[in-house]
Amino acid sequence: MDPHLLTTFVTVARCGSFSAAATELGYTQSAISQQIAALEADLGLPLLSRRPVEPTPAGRRLLEHAEPLLLRLRAARADVLRAAAAPRHRIGLAVTPLGFTADLADRLARARAAWPQLEVTERSEDRPGGK
């Protein structure tokens, strides 16, 4: 089931009107009708009676599932966006040319693999202490 169609269905059922749902969702009434028809075709049964606009028994059953599903989808979206926006962890590393060994390079590569949010800035210095 398409979440957009499910959102349209929930809105029509809540509003009790195709026109009111269209206004709320920013669509034309015709587009709302087409979306409901597409959802009904997908499930193979009517979900809303038209006069008055109210859920059929199958529509009431779908509403029981639709609202928690849509809530879960919004929560998943928010979680993914929050994870992607997580602050990076930064480490500045100053090494002398002789101090940057293959072992240190290997350790940095493993640290970056283990902690994708780790940002390492490497700076080469001529001598210890940076002077």
Side-chain angles (χ1 to χ4, degrees), residues 3-40 46-56 59-60 62-63 66-67 70:
H4 298 290
L5 299 180
L6 210 49
T7 298
T8 299
F9 168 70
V10 169
T11 306
V12 171
R14 183 176 38 77
C15 291
S17 162
F18 282 67
S19 297
T23 300
E24 184 175 318
L25 295 171
Y27 294 117
T28 64
Q29 187 272 328
S30 175
I32 295 294
S33 294
Q34 290 173 6
Q35 290 178 28
I36 295 300
L39 184 59
E40 289 175 331
L47 299 171
L48 294 166
S49 61
R50 293 337 195 234
R51 297 209 196 308
V53 176
E54 59 185 17
T56 63
R60 284 192 296 277
L62 180 58
L63 279 172
E67 290 175 349
L70 293 171

Side-chain angles (χ1 to χ4, degrees), residues 31-126:
I32 295 294
S33 294
Q34 290 173 6
Q35 290 178 28
I36 295 300
L39 184 59
E40 289 175 331
D42 180 37
L43 292 172
L45 44 92
L47 299 171
L48 294 166
S49 61
R50 293 337 195 234
R51 297 209 196 308
V53 176
E54 59 185 17
T56 63
R60 284 192 296 277
R61 191 62 182 254
L62 180 58
L63 279 172
E64 292 174 17
H65 294 283
E67 290 175 349
L69 283 170
L70 293 171
L71 179 64
R72 190 74 179 122
L73 284 171
R74 286 190 298 272
R77 178 183 177 83
D79 184 52
V80 167
L81 293 174
R82 190 172 35 256
R88 298 188 65 84
H89 302 286
R90 293 188 173 110
I91 295 176
L93 182 63
V95 294
T96 64
L98 294 176
F100 195 81
T101 63
D103 180 56
L104 179 58
D106 182 54
R107 287 176 189 232
L108 283 172
R110 282 184 284 153
R112 286 181 174 126
W115 297 290
Q117 295 295 324
L118 180 63
E119 184 177 295
V120 179
T121 304
E122 301 153 16
R123 184 178 76 229
S124 179
E125 299 196 354
D126 293 335

